Amino acid sequence: DAGVIQSPRHEVTEMGQEVTLRCKPISGHNSLFWYRQTMMRGLELLIYFNNNVPIDDSGMPEDRFSAKMPNASFSTLKIQPSEPRDSAVYFCASSSRLADYEQYFGPGTRLTVT
Amino acid sequence: QKEVEQDPGPLSVPEGAIVSLNCTYSNSAFQYFMWYRQYSRKGPELLMYTYSSGNKEDGRFTAQVDKSSKYISLFIRDSQPSDSATYLCATSTGNAGNNRKLIWGLGTSLAVNP
């Protein structure tokens, strides 16, 4: 298995632009998580899906952030409009119902908003 | 107060030293306790997990949970330069249903010097 796939790996954009991050979870996993990681705040859960349904989006910072999971093999995280304080590494992770304590992380997208 | 507290370090030790990494937590409902390892510019990966109290050993690594004091530890024996990474503790209530959230510590940065 290729593991969790994220794209792009790096994104540099200007303030006010729309940013879309993409994730393909491991086949057969039924839970998907979007995280943001910064030095100051560590790993923060933004939203997670179970069987393609959003379960908890309490970590989404504000209305500028939205996430979708149209099917079991694809999810997007969108920021519109982006701001410099959104600069961080964004991780996608997936897990199976058999071992939900084990989350498999993608390589991350390093976002820089100037 | 965060639900899981972890000293971010950094911790620097000579090769061969015994390393002790620790977390405290506040929610007595937590039942699963995990240690994830994150190399620079990579996503976290599960190193060890423990259910409820007790010890678990895997090679040079030992995970320990003391639920009475709400204290989680990871010991690394004969530390190697390849152990240099950030170590994150994570917990979960493990409830049935849709709850798949892990609660994360900030991570402790470890450097093992040859």
Side-chain angles (χ1 to χ4, degrees), chain A residues 9-30:
Chain A
R9 294 293 307 275
H10 301 273
E11 177 81 32
V12 180
T13 191
E14 291 184 349
M15 182 174 64
Q17 296 298 305
E18 178 179 296
V19 175
T20 299
L21 311 182
R22 297 171 177 81
C23 175
K24 177 178 168 55
I26 291 174
S27 176
H29 282 189
N30 69 321

Side-chain angles (χ1 to χ4, degrees), chain B residues 22-59:
Chain B
N22 309 291
C23 291
T24 59
Y25 64 94
S26 57
N27 188 347
S28 57
F30 291 146
Q31 295 191 71
Y32 289 87
F33 304 92
M34 285 68 68
W35 284 96
Y36 278 73
R37 178 175 60 194
Q38 184 176 21
Y39 290 115
S40 179
R41 296 186 175 269
K42 302 283 188 183
E45 58 180 352
L46 181 67
L47 185 62
M48 297 185 72
Y49 89 95
T50 309
Y51 174 71
S52 194
S53 279
N55 291 2
K56 188 170 187 176
E57 191 173 317
D58 184 2

Side-chain angles (χ1 to χ4, degrees), chain A residues 9 31 33 35 37 40-43 45 48 50 55-56 58 91 97 100-103 105-107 110, chain B residues 2 32 34 36 38 41-46 49 88 92 94-95 97-102 104-106:
Chain A
R9 294 293 307 275
S31 295
F33 307 82
Y35 289 95
Q37 188 175 43
M40 289 299 293
R41 300 173 68 91
L43 197 63
L45 178 66
Y48 80 94
N50 209 38
I55 301 300
D56 186 342
S58 60
F91 287 104
R97 67 171 64 85
D100 54 17
Y101 53 82
E102 181 164 14
Q103 295 184 7
F105 284 75
R110 185 170 296 271
Chain B
K2 287 174 70 69
Y32 289 87
M34 285 68 68
Y36 278 73
Q38 184 176 21
R41 296 186 175 269
K42 302 283 188 183
E45 58 180 352
L46 181 67
Y49 89 95
L88 299 100
S92 167
N95 285 339
N98 282 327
N99 185 1
R100 298 290 184 267
K101 282 176 69 168
L102 299 185
W104 297 84
L106 271 181

Side-chain angles (χ1 to χ4, degrees), chain A residues 47-58:
Chain A
I47 185 172
Y48 80 94
F49 297 83
N50 209 38
N51 296 321
N52 311 340
V53 176
I55 301 300
D56 186 342
D57 65 354
S58 60

Side-chain angles (χ1 to χ4, degrees), chain B:
Chain B
Q1 182 191 8
K2 287 174 70 69
E3 285 191 277
V4 177
E5 300 276 1
Q6 183 176 11
D7 186 340
L11 188 60
S12 181
V13 301
E15 183 175 353
I18 296 174
V19 176
S20 173
L21 304 168
N22 309 291
C23 291
T24 59
Y25 64 94
S26 57
N27 188 347
S28 57
F30 291 146
Q31 295 191 71
Y32 289 87
F33 304 92
M34 285 68 68
W35 284 96
Y36 278 73
R37 178 175 60 194
Q38 184 176 21
Y39 290 115
S40 179
R41 296 186 175 269
K42 302 283 188 183
E45 58 180 352
L46 181 67
L47 185 62
M48 297 185 72
Y49 89 95
T50 309
Y51 174 71
S52 194
S53 279
N55 291 2
K56 188 170 187 176
E57 191 173 317
D58 184 2
R60 296 184 295 110
F61 298 86
T62 299
Q64 198 171 77
V65 176
D66 183 346
K67 293 192 77 177
S68 63
S69 58
K70 298 188 179 67
Y71 202 78
I72 314 164
S73 300
L74 177 71
F75 299 97
I76 308 175
R77 291 184 300 281
D78 187 25
S79 56
Q80 302 295 308
S82 58
D83 296 328
S84 298
T86 296
Y87 291 80
L88 299 100
C89 61
T91 65
S92 167
T93 59
N95 285 339
N98 282 327
N99 185 1
R100 298 290 184 267
K101 282 176 69 168
L102 299 185
I103 310 301
W104 297 84
L106 271 181
T108 300
S109 175
L110 171 67
V112 181
N113 306 304

